[in-house]
Amino acid sequence: GDSVTQMEGPVTLSEEAFLTINCTYTATGYPSLFWYVQYPGEGLQLLLKATKADDKGSNKGFEATYRKETTSFHLEKGSVQVSDSAVYFCALSGQTGANNLFFGTGTRLTVIP
Amino acid sequence: GAVVSQHPSWVICKSGTSVKIECRSLDFQATTMFWYRQFPKQSLMLMATSNEGSKATYEQGVEKDKFLINHASLTLSTLTVTSAHPEDSSFYICSPAGRGVQETQYFGPGTRLLVL
């Protein structure tokens, strides 16, 4: 079945460091891929998405490229800020559409000044 | 984006008691509500899907008599964990959706339940 494997955390980085959070997936067909972020005390928010192979999603300095050949959707940011401290979830939409999301376990990122 | 609230944000209860979790979509008409659960170091797992005014559809392995879902209005859905046991301790998250299929889902902040 469909599934997502996400890099385990927690991850602690200094401000302005480079961030990579790995995500690989298993799916039949051609799912859409998402990164969600959850800030403390808030609900999950969509950070970026990609709907087909080689698409690059980007938002707030974060990027992720849909790599069908490696079934990956790694999240990257060139220079993290303290305000990026949150939990990041990789997800894919199942065959039945975007309302059937499969999530990774989440990666907690802490950025220290 | 849509504003979704959950209450309580966390709760501790004794084994055998029932706990009700409320999910409100404050600026959004939620014709569909998804309830997720997350155990420590595991993925969010979909528990059930409910449509306003009708019975919920539960995922395989989720006991419908234990996790009662009420979705009586477009702005409020409740999840009641009946006769809670320590193994029900988890993080419960609601996710409202509007009419039709949406590419973007909105999520509540979650409710952490600890059953002693």
Side-chain angles (χ1 to χ4, degrees):
Chain A
D2 295 352
S3 67
V4 174
T5 302
Q6 186 175 342
M7 171 179 161
E8 281 194 33
V11 174
T12 302
L13 295 173
S14 297
E15 208 164 19
E16 299 184 1
F18 184 85
L19 168 72
T20 299
I21 301 177
N22 290 338
C23 173
T24 57
Y25 68 91
T26 301
T28 54
Y30 304 95
S32 293
L33 301 174
F34 306 84
W35 276 100
Y36 280 85
V37 59
Q38 184 175 29
Y39 298 104
E42 299 182 18
L44 276 75
Q45 304 171 25
L46 179 65
L47 179 60
L48 53 84
K49 66 180 181 183
T51 57
K52 60 183 187 297
D54 299 325
D55 265 4
K56 177 186 283 188
S58 61
N59 185 25
K60 299 182 180 179
F62 291 89
E63 292 183 341
T65 301
Y66 190 145
R67 302 283 188 202
K68 195 170 188 303
E69 63 275 15
T70 54
T71 62
S72 65
F73 193 55
H74 304 322
L75 182 68
E76 296 182 337
K77 186 173 185 180
S79 176
V80 293
Q81 305 299 313
V82 172
S83 57
D84 294 327
S85 298
V87 181
Y88 293 83
F89 292 89
C90 185
L92 67 81
S93 63
Q95 286 285 343
T96 54
N99 284 342
N100 182 16
L101 288 173
F102 294 88
F103 286 90
T105 55
T107 301
R108 182 175 297 279
L109 168 67
T110 301
V111 180
I112 54 177
Chain B
V3 178
V4 183
S5 70
Q6 274 185 246
H7 178 78
S9 56
W10 70 290
V11 57
I12 301 174
C13 70
K14 292 182 179 179
S15 186
T17 60
S18 294
V19 176
K20 180 185 284 188
I21 300 170
E22 292 186 349
C23 176
R24 294 181 186 275
S25 53
L26 301 179
D27 59 353
F28 185 77
Q29 291 196 325
T31 53
T32 301
M33 186 68 74
F34 302 94
W35 283 95
Y36 291 84
R37 164 171 70 180
Q38 184 181 27
F39 292 109
K41 297 189 177 181
Q42 295 186 27
S43 304
L44 272 76
M45 298 297 295
L46 181 64
M47 298 175 64
T49 303
S50 70
N51 293 304
E52 185 253 342
S54 61
K55 290 184 178 180
T57 302
Y58 291 81
E59 296 298 306
Q60 192 173 8
V62 178
E63 300 175 56
K64 63 179 181 180
D65 294 330
K66 181 168 191 60
F67 298 100
L68 302 180
I69 291 173
N70 183 286
H71 190 178
S73 79
L74 291 173
T75 58
L76 173 65
S77 176
T78 61
L79 168 67
T80 301
V81 183
T82 62
S83 186
H85 290 281
E87 58 266 29
D88 299 323
S89 299
S90 187
F91 191 55
Y92 294 88
I93 301 173
C94 66
S95 175
R99 300 184 189 278
V101 174
Q102 280 190 229
E103 193 67 12
T104 300
Q105 279 186 240
Y106 299 102
F107 294 84
T111 297
R112 188 165 299 283
L113 170 64
L114 176 61
V115 185
L116 301 176

